[in-house]
Amino acid sequence: MKLTDVISRVRDIAGDRDALQFSDPQVVNWINDGVVECALANDLLQKRASSFTGDGQSDYLIPTDILKLHTVRYDGVKLKALSLEEVDKYFPESVEGTEEGKPSYYYIWAGNLTLKPVPNEVKTLVLDYIFVPPVLSGDNLDVELPLPVGYHGRIVDYCLAQVAQQDDDIERYNAKME
């Protein structure tokens, strides 16, 4: 379904063909929000990034298009994610600690993925994640939604929920959001 089709369906169902209740840019914003919600809720827009670790290197830049990180694997083995509180608890030495070995843990800080312990050999590092969808704009209404076809109707429902919220119809909003 194209962006223009979603806008048209939302307007038809909401009874606002003349754009008196909401604008096209408003609907496009709702569509963008709905695409993100669908991607997160259904693990859509999957991507994999891989690189090699460096011997003695603990920090690695993460892709800038990560919406939700699923797994990190070092040499094919899934690593455990640590919260910053856990890092402080289990690795009380400085954040730049030098303990080397086969990593079992990772944490993320300031756009870097840090492996613990620090890798002592070159191996493959793989990240599986949900990527940030492209932002749709009213400048190109002929673009396809970046989700599988089976989710296009859900985007229409998401937009209709936003219309209901705008109308303070919480019951209809809740029904459309389910």
Side-chain angles (χ1 to χ4, degrees), residues 21-84:
Q21 187 178 4
F22 48 86
S23 67
D24 283 354
Q26 216 171 354
V27 179
V28 171
N29 287 337
W30 294 337
I31 293 168
N32 281 313
D33 292 345
V35 168
V36 169
E37 292 286 329
C38 273
L40 288 172
N42 300 287
D43 291 331
L44 304 173
L45 307 179
Q46 301 168 357
K47 201 170 189 180
R48 175 171 285 159
S50 62
S51 64
F52 291 103
T53 60
D55 186 8
Q57 178 183 345
S58 63
D59 293 339
Y60 301 86
L61 287 175
I62 59 173
T64 58
D65 66 343
I66 290 180
L67 183 61
K68 177 183 175 184
L69 182 61
H70 273 282
T71 57
V72 175
R73 287 184 167 72
Y74 173 84
D75 194 24
V77 177
K78 185 177 176 181
L79 303 182
K80 181 184 182 315
L82 294 176
S83 68
L84 294 177

